[in-house]
Amino acid sequence: MTANPQPAPFRPATTILELGDSFYDAVESAPFPQAILRFRNDRAAASIGLDGLDDASWVQHFARFVPLPDSLPQPLALRYHGHQFRVYNPEIGDGRGFLFAQMYDDRGRLMDLGTKGSGRTPWSRFGDGRLTLKGGVREILATEMLEALGVNTSRTLSLIETGEALERNDEPSPTRGAVMVRLNHGHIRIGTFQRLAHLRDEDGLRTLTDYVLRHYFGDPGGLDGPVRLLDHVVRGTATLSAQFMAAGFVHGVLNSDNINVTGESFDYGPWRFNPTWAPDFTAAYFDHAGLYAFGRQPEAIHWDVMQLAVSLRLISPAEPLIAVLDSFGDHYQPAVTDAILWRLGVRPRNQSEDRALIQAIEPALRGSDTSIDRFFQASFGGAIPTHFGAEFDEARALLAPYVARKARDHAYWQADAPCSMLIDEVESIWADIAERDDWTALNAKILAIRDFGAALGD
């Protein structure tokens, strides 16, 4: 994999310890029978100064969880609550993962290394604390594709097969086990605040508010800290909602415990990319009401942010919180415009023209069977080809005066088919691994996605 040309130094941190042990539980990793390295993301590792680890050290840190120097001395399972499909659940927390380490990245941001599948914790309930290898492969594919598409996402740092046979109800079993490490810009969820509000812990809410403002937003906090925190979260999550739409992505489980207060998407379970602009397209087979359907994602995320406002009401007057919460749409509209213009490869002109263009493109896509990925590949640089039907005539005319933000000189733009990540290909990649232990297709897809990202990015 391509590494960062200017790797960052490793700069460890332990800031989570400032919160105190009422926010987490010290835990131990499961003793896995094997540790077979299947994926290491040296590009992500370079951003935090860990790309120089040899494979043996990598396995020691990310399968055996030997502490990284001067970072956290022991893994911590974080405590939180949350609404799951809008039903409040006070019995959740890090049930098959933990916070393993903290450090600063090459942009000076405080980063967390969190796990998935690392074993049981006090919050596992009836689960085994494990991750299927298929789940890990799917998370690699999701994060790589979203990163290429400009979505603010966690990054999959490591996937290691554990030699365990797992029983699952939603895939053929026994199935292979794995442990994954993700690189996050923070691991504090809306549900972290909900837990404190549920416990009526005003001091804890103030402590957490100040912690998040200081370490993730560079904001000094103060008396209006809760309002300023909500404003940061509204802006970040409105932008994330817009990026999901422009990417044609459906997260699948937008519960409040899955919403990071930094506005970074993470935790990919039943995700899918939408083949066409179908608002009612869902990712999770259990989302019978379509609560988290493609077209309802901004509404769902706004609802989750509302739960943060409700939690902060314990330490702040309601009126300024309501005013900030009501600004979500004001931030979402320009963000979705910017995200779609970016994917089209054109520079913004002015608010009126830009919004008119998006209002022409969206219904044209919705009213046709046009592939989202094919449309954006063909139209990149500012011209909608004539082979797209008459329903695109208005959008075609409105797009004509726009200036390309970069040339179509990358080889990707001459490819016969767009780089996409639809469910049939995901299943095909997994079938090669499950049936023949053949990782060729996965490795090739990662390279293709990164090539796509290079073509699309600035």
Side-chain angles (χ1 to χ4, degrees):
M1 303 304 170
T2 302
N4 187 323
Q6 295 182 319
F10 177 62
R11 294 190 292 154
T14 59
T15 61
I16 193 72
L17 300 180
E18 294 176 12
L19 292 175
D21 58 12
S22 64
F23 286 82
Y24 47 72
D25 295 273
V27 294
E28 300 286 346
S29 167
F32 300 117
Q34 290 183 282
I36 307 167
L37 179 57
R38 295 302 191 181
F39 173 74
R40 56 176 288 169
N41 188 342
D42 280 325
R43 185 167 72 171
S47 72
I48 53 172
L50 292 178
D51 54 316
L53 293 175
D54 60 27
D55 284 353
S57 297
W58 188 280
V59 167
Q60 283 295 101
H61 289 305
F62 304 134
R64 306 305 182 196
F65 295 102
V66 174
L68 288 165
D70 299 319
S71 190
L72 298 178
Q74 187 172 3
L76 304 175
L78 302 187
R79 301 177 182 179
Y80 49 86
H81 292 178
H83 278 88
Q84 299 182 309
F85 286 84
R86 301 200 176 169
V87 176
Y88 193 75
N89 188 346
E91 297 181 357
I92 54 178
D94 278 340
R96 58 170 174 168
F98 48 62
L99 175 59
F100 169 59
Q102 293 185 295
M103 69 286 299
Y104 293 93
D105 72 1
D106 53 3
R107 296 161 57 186
R109 301 182 305 163
L110 177 62
M111 306 297 289
D112 289 355
L113 292 183
T115 65
K116 192 173 184 179
S118 49
R120 289 181 56 82
T121 78
W123 309 104
S124 298
R125 293 178 290 166
F126 302 108
D128 61 10
R130 270 37 175 198
L131 171 70
T132 68
L133 184 63
K134 182 179 183 180
V137 167
R138 284 174 49 85
E139 186 133 350
I140 292 170
L141 291 171
T143 54
E144 290 284 335
M145 192 68 177
L146 289 171
E147 183 182 353
L149 284 164
V151 176
N152 185 16
T153 179
S154 65
R155 302 165 81 183
T156 307
L157 183 76
S158 173
L159 183 68
I160 294 175
E161 189 169 358
T162 60
E164 295 180 309
L166 306 178
E167 294 293 331
R168 291 294 185 267
N169 296 325
D170 55 354
E171 63 179 279
S173 296
T175 189
R176 293 151 71 176
V179 62
M180 189 191 80
V181 177
R182 64 166 68 97
L183 178 63
N184 274 80
H185 181 38
H187 205 63
I188 304 296
R189 311 153 187 255
I190 287 176
T192 314
F193 286 85
Q194 288 183 277
R195 170 182 168 270
L196 297 169
H198 181 82
L199 298 174
R200 311 297 294 178
D201 184 354
E202 296 184 22
D203 289 341
L205 277 169
R206 292 190 183 95
T207 296
L208 184 61
T209 297
D210 288 345
Y211 174 87
V212 171
L213 283 171
R214 186 169 67 256
H215 290 297
Y216 295 110
F217 297 111
D219 188 317
L223 292 177
D224 64 343
V227 177
R228 299 226 299 275
L229 171 66
L230 184 64
D231 184 60
H232 287 298
V233 176
V234 163
R235 291 171 185 270
T237 55
T239 298
L240 177 64
S241 303
Q243 292 171 342
F244 278 174
M245 300 304 289
F249 180 73
V250 186
H251 183 283
V253 190
L254 292 173
N255 297 330
S256 62
D257 59 296
N258 282 343
I259 305 297
N260 190 332
V261 295
T262 63
E264 182 184 81
S265 177
F266 75 108
D267 201 12
Y268 301 102
W271 64 268
R272 288 196 185 188
F273 282 89
N274 202 345
T276 62
W277 200 279
D280 59 352
F281 182 84
T282 58
Y285 68 87
F286 45 83
D287 187 5
H288 305 295
L291 182 64
Y292 299 143
F294 175 63
R296 297 184 67 184
Q297 290 182 118
E299 169 201 339
I301 292 175
H302 185 209
W303 191 92
D304 289 328
V305 177
M306 188 186 307
Q307 308 320 305
L308 175 61
V310 170
S311 299
L312 293 173
R313 176 64 186 88
L314 199 63
I315 57 171
S316 172
E319 291 78 5
L321 294 173
I322 293 169
V324 170
L325 186 65
D326 287 347
S327 71
F328 185 94
D330 295 334
H331 296 300
Y332 172 77
Q333 292 301 337
V336 78
T337 298
D338 288 346
I340 291 176
L341 291 178
W342 184 83
R343 194 168 181 190
L344 280 169
V346 297
R347 301 187 185 281
R349 286 173 62 84
N350 59 67
Q351 185 176 3
S352 176
E353 290 183 63
D354 296 346
R355 185 65 190 142
L357 175 61
I358 303 310
Q359 288 176 336
I361 289 174
E362 194 273 341
L365 282 170
R366 188 177 66 242
S368 70
D369 292 328
T370 302
S371 159
I372 294 174
D373 297 321
R374 190 172 293 279
F375 170 79
F376 282 111
Q377 182 204 34
S379 306
F380 186 87
I384 300 174
T386 56
H387 65 259
F388 292 108
E391 59 265 44
F392 289 93
D393 284 349
E394 181 185 3
R396 189 176 290 112
L398 290 171
L399 182 60
Y402 279 75
V403 175
R405 65 173 169 84
K406 66 182 299 186
R408 289 177 60 99
D409 54 0
H410 192 285
Y412 169 78
W413 303 115
Q414 281 66 57
D416 292 335
C419 182
S420 60
M421 185 51 65
L422 302 182
I423 189 61
D424 288 348
E425 184 175 10
V426 175
E427 291 296 330
S428 176
I429 289 170
W430 169 246
D432 286 351
I433 295 169
E435 296 167 11
R436 297 182 297 280
D437 203 31
D438 183 352
W439 295 75
T440 306
L442 174 66
N443 293 329
K445 188 63 181 182
I446 293 169
L447 291 175
I449 292 170
R450 293 184 176 185
D451 189 58
F452 168 49
L456 186 59
D458 296 312

